[in-house]
Amino acid sequence: MGKVGFESEGHSGTRRATYADLEAVPDHLVAEIIGGELVTHPRPAPKHIKAATSLGIELGDASERGRSGPGGWVFFDEPELHLCQEVIVPDLAGWRIDRLRVLPGKAYFESAPDWVCEVPSPATERLDRGRKRRIYAQAGVSHYWLLDPRLEILETFVLTNGEWLVGRTYEEGDEVAAPPFDAIAFPLSILWPLKTAAETAKDDN
């Protein structure tokens, strides 16, 4: 993960990173502005991408399209969020449809999602569990999930009186039925249907 500080003009210290700084970051990196710093990290590994994609498909079918569940939501992959003077990019985010009836005319969202899921990697885990989680609470995001393909677990949190209340952690063999999508259930294992080369080699030994 990279952090870029900028020298202020006319005095010592640093200045806040600007949106122009963020736009100058190469496309192969994910860029965010957190605490005034430009923070970059590499795109996630295939197992992380597949887990996020599979979760989006499962929730989208039930909670957006309403084919296997109640509907009433809209989901986005890696939306750019401008919240609390920060620019952050979660892996997945969802809004209740009554809060997002019209898409913004800009390339980013200024209204806080109702649900966010981060898929932590070695490069992002500290941010996902620390500063970004605090930003989501400050912005009023109601539900926060951490989906970890490395450990093959799902951690859930619910915002209560401005603080994150720890919900259930789902592990191997569990059926996931977690708020705000507890009207449906799905096996956690469907989120990682393919093994990595390292996992396959370990199984062969």
Side-chain angles (χ1 to χ4, degrees):
M1 182 187 306
K3 295 181 182 179
V4 181
F6 298 90
E7 292 298 324
S8 300
E9 295 181 5
H11 63 276
S12 61
T14 59
R15 67 166 174 86
R16 280 189 64 90
T18 67
Y19 200 70
D21 299 322
L22 186 146
E23 291 179 314
V25 173
D27 291 340
H28 70 280
L29 297 174
V30 178
E32 301 172 296
I33 297 176
I34 300 175
E37 296 177 325
L38 178 65
V39 179
T40 65
H41 51 85
R43 292 287 173 182
K47 187 171 183 178
H48 289 65
I49 297 172
K50 183 55 183 170
T53 300
S54 296
L55 179 59
I57 290 171
E58 191 68 29
L59 296 181
D61 185 70
S63 299
E64 181 170 302
R65 297 181 180 179
R67 295 194 301 190
S68 58
W73 287 76
V74 60
F75 299 97
F76 294 88
D77 297 331
E78 295 190 341
E80 183 178 307
L81 308 179
H82 290 207
L83 305 175
C84 307
Q85 298 185 317
E86 313 283 8
V87 180
I88 50 181
V89 182
D91 289 290
L92 289 166
W95 285 256
R96 298 183 189 275
I97 196 65
D98 59 357
R99 293 191 55 246
L100 193 70
R101 294 189 178 278
V102 179
L103 293 174
K106 304 172 183 177
Y108 52 84
F109 296 82
E110 295 179 290
S111 63
D114 296 288
W115 167 85
V116 163
C117 180
E118 295 285 9
V119 185
S121 67
T124 68
E125 184 164 17
R126 186 171 182 178
L127 274 177
D128 293 337
R129 293 186 178 278
R131 287 191 286 173
K132 288 180 76 172
R133 183 162 55 177
R134 290 193 292 272
I135 293 167
Y136 294 137
Q138 184 180 354
V141 176
S142 300
H143 298 272
Y144 185 52
W145 290 10
L146 280 170
L147 179 65
D148 192 332
R150 298 164 301 169
L151 300 177
E152 298 190 349
I153 63 172
L154 170 65
E155 301 169 76
T156 65
F157 305 85
V158 179
L159 192 66
T160 305
N161 297 323
E163 301 288 342
W164 289 117
L165 179 66
V166 179
R168 180 174 172 181
T169 294
Y170 295 87
E171 302 177 280
E172 182 180 358
D174 287 342
E175 287 277 318
V176 178
F181 309 113
D182 45 341
I184 65 169
F186 59 89
L188 182 65
S189 59
I190 68 171
L191 302 184
W192 22 83
L194 301 175
K195 294 185 178 182
T196 66
E199 291 170 336
T200 300
K202 184 178 179 181
D203 289 343
D204 291 341
N205 291 333

